[in-house]
Amino acid sequence: MKQILCAILMLCLPSMSYAQWYLGQASIPYDGDDYNDVRKLAIEQAIENASLQASSYISIENTVRDGILTSSKSNIVSKQQISEIVILNETITAGKLTVNLKVNLHSKSNCIKDAYSKQLIIAQFPLMTPKQAAPGDIYTLPFHVASRFKNELSNQPSVFVEELIPQMVFKPVTSFDSINLKTIQSISHRLNSQFQSQYLVFGYIRDIGLYNEIKSALLTNTIYPKRNFTIKVFMYDRISDSILLEDEYHGEGGWSFDSYSKVDLSNSLFWRSEYGKAIVDTLFKVSQDINQTLSCEATKATVINRDDEFITINIGTMHGVKKGDIFQHIKLKNIPLRNTVMSTLMPPDEPTLLEVIQVSNKISLLKAPENEDVNGINQHQVDLYDVVTTTSF
């Protein structure tokens, strides 16, 4: 018999908006096995215990057969973001490794959220050092990573993936290369005729190097081949011309394949291997961070057509828009600066409200309610490529 117990722990939520420290402790049996592995597990459990104090949700699933607990798992979904972890002490007593730490958490619950999915396109992720792909002949890994990344993002609640594009947006020469916003903006504008997405996700795979991990036992040393997977990810907002996310993610896993022959990356055996799972787990974490970032962004849509009757925007039912929804008109202004132009959204003193009259998969027709705009004067101020949003700035 399978019983699912879902408990919500809503403990004391601090009223202050700044970060707060939470204490966590965990003890793991230690019998002389690899210390680093046991220590890592203890730290993870201590962080989880600290997170439970920060108004987190814990979902517990127990499986019972013939009165015996055969499996148990829990998932922590925290409303907090970890900004710093300090290990206070770690001791080994009575065959157990005990770790005490404190976690500095920032609340993520005060952001603006709405019911609409944010639309994005994904560019290719090139290998920064192609020669690292030689062991196993995995030169096509970037294409498989991009495809898997699209699947992970498509499963996120606040994300709508318009397309995985074949273009490569950015490939640095060194890991210290910085993003040139002008170049990204130029590439983004060239994509405007093909794609409607506000957000462009791109980056590169920095490290897939193969290395040996040596684990020491009492009499022997055992060598375990392992492989890195480090990816740098950017998310560009095409409306505000800004980078919303820039972060590097790292995973690693055991390499169980012959490094002198070609590995079939299309085979599920690869993706079920320890290294394949490490890649998927890393991409899942990236997709979660992107989803969290976008869920805190006010939905914005671009005016792609206007006539005497309707304003047409580039989001529809696939993004969660419904007939009767209300949007607010925001003017997009270009301010000339030295050697560049800054695009900024300027809400008017008395914003024009627009109601969804008709909606299809990817577009919606809007009109100013007659009782608020009798002569249609406000609606006629809406120009092509202006922006509408759901919330006030």
Side-chain angles (χ1 to χ4, degrees):
M1 181 180 66
K2 187 172 184 179
Q3 299 175 333
I4 300 178
L5 170 63
C6 292
I8 300 179
L9 302 181
M10 297 297 290
L11 303 180
C12 297
L13 179 65
S15 59
M16 295 81 72
S17 60
Y18 49 82
Q20 180 161 338
W21 290 96
Y22 293 87
L23 297 176
Q25 183 189 79
S27 296
I28 302 293
Y30 180 67
D31 58 2
D33 289 338
D34 189 274
Y35 180 79
N36 289 329
D37 288 346
V38 178
R39 180 176 183 268
K40 179 182 177 183
L41 183 60
I43 290 173
E44 288 176 352
Q45 288 193 9
I47 293 172
E48 181 176 304
N49 293 336
S51 298
L52 283 174
Q53 303 173 47
S55 185
S56 300
Y57 296 94
I58 178 170
S59 171
I60 305 170
E61 181 174 307
N62 295 329
T63 303
V64 180
R65 289 193 182 91
D66 300 325
I68 300 174
L69 182 67
T70 58
S71 69
S72 179
K73 65 180 181 179
S74 64
N75 294 305
I76 298 296
V77 181
S78 180
K79 288 185 175 181
Q80 312 291 321
Q81 182 174 9
I82 295 174
S83 61
E84 188 176 359
I85 300 170
V86 176
I87 296 177
L88 301 175
N89 56 65
E90 46 190 283
T91 57
I92 298 177
T93 306
K96 286 187 176 182
L97 169 63
T98 299
V99 173
N100 289 283
L101 50 74
K102 61 179 182 177
V103 180
N104 196 354
L105 298 172
H106 285 280
S107 175
K108 300 186 289 187
S109 59
N110 294 328
C111 67
I112 299 171
K113 293 192 177 183
D114 55 46
Y116 304 108
S117 297
K118 313 303 190 296
Q119 186 165 281
L120 59 81
I121 51 176
I122 309 168
Q124 296 296 319
F125 284 74
L127 279 174
M128 182 175 170
T129 311
K131 65 181 181 182
Q132 289 183 334
D137 193 9
I138 56 172
Y139 293 97
T140 60
L141 182 64
F143 302 101
H144 293 273
V145 165
S147 178
R148 296 266 169 175
F149 191 27
K150 177 187 176 184
N151 292 339
E152 295 294 339
L153 279 170
S154 297
N155 290 326
Q156 294 297 320
S158 296
V159 175
F160 175 77
V161 180
E162 182 182 6
E163 191 62 75
L164 170 61
I165 64 175
Q167 287 93 331
M168 180 179 67
V169 172
F170 176 62
K171 183 179 181 181
V173 178
T174 72
S175 58
F176 299 104
D177 282 4
S178 59
I179 289 289
N180 185 332
L181 267 181
K182 269 191 166 182
T183 303
I184 304 301
Q185 185 184 46
S186 174
I187 293 171
S188 176
H189 287 329
R190 289 201 299 270
L191 296 171
N192 275 346
S193 60
Q194 298 173 267
F195 306 105
Q196 295 294 327
S197 292
Q198 176 182 347
Y199 303 98
L200 170 63
V201 177
F202 63 96
Y204 59 93
I205 301 171
R206 189 173 69 79
D207 183 18
I208 56 168
L210 189 66
Y211 67 97
N212 289 325
E213 180 181 82
I214 300 176
K215 292 191 176 183
S216 300
L218 187 61
L219 299 175
T220 61
N221 292 333
T222 306
I223 297 176
Y224 295 91
K226 301 191 76 172
R227 199 160 197 161
N228 291 312
F229 179 74
T230 306
I231 188 169
K232 185 70 177 281
V233 180
F234 303 86
M235 182 165 61
Y236 172 70
D237 184 343
R238 302 169 74 187
I239 289 181
S240 64
D241 186 30
S242 61
I243 298 291
L244 289 187
L245 181 142
E246 177 181 350
D247 212 341
E248 190 168 278
Y249 299 82
H250 176 74
E252 58 188 39
W255 182 251
S256 54
F257 301 94
D258 183 358
S259 296
Y260 298 98
S261 59
K262 186 178 180 65
V263 175
D264 184 4
L265 299 182
S266 299
N267 195 312
S268 63
L269 289 175
F270 173 79
W271 295 103
R272 294 201 303 268
S273 71
E274 186 178 326
Y275 183 63
K277 289 178 181 177
I279 294 176
V280 173
D281 289 345
T282 305
L283 296 177
F284 176 68
K285 186 178 187 313
V286 182
S287 65
Q288 281 189 312
D289 284 358
I290 289 176
N291 179 76
Q292 178 61 43
T293 301
L294 291 181
S295 70
C296 289
E297 288 289 310
T299 294
K300 304 180 192 74
T302 304
V303 176
I304 58 175
N305 189 45
R306 63 178 297 272
D307 53 37
D308 291 338
E309 189 175 5
F310 294 116
I311 303 296
T312 306
I313 61 172
N314 62 343
I315 60 175
T317 54
M318 297 182 78
H319 311 85
V321 180
K322 303 181 298 298
K323 187 176 179 180
D325 287 356
I326 301 294
F327 289 86
Q328 173 184 314
H329 171 228
I330 300 291
K331 208 73 175 172
L332 183 63
K333 288 193 175 182
N334 294 320
I335 301 175
L337 301 175
R338 185 178 179 183
N339 299 325
T340 187
V341 174
M342 181 179 71
S343 297
T344 184
L345 298 172
M346 300 290 292
D349 293 334
E350 296 183 4
T352 299
L353 298 181
L354 301 166
E355 182 180 358
V356 176
I357 305 300
Q358 297 180 35
V359 59
S360 64
N361 283 346
K362 294 185 178 182
I363 65 168
S364 301
L365 302 184
L366 281 61
K367 189 173 184 178
E370 291 183 3
N371 62 326
E372 296 186 17
D373 189 17
V374 178
N375 298 315
I377 296 176
N378 292 338
Q379 181 169 319
H380 289 154
Q381 293 177 356
V382 180
D383 294 321
L384 200 61
Y385 307 123
D386 277 357
V387 174
V388 300
T389 183
T390 53
T391 57
S392 299
F393 282 68

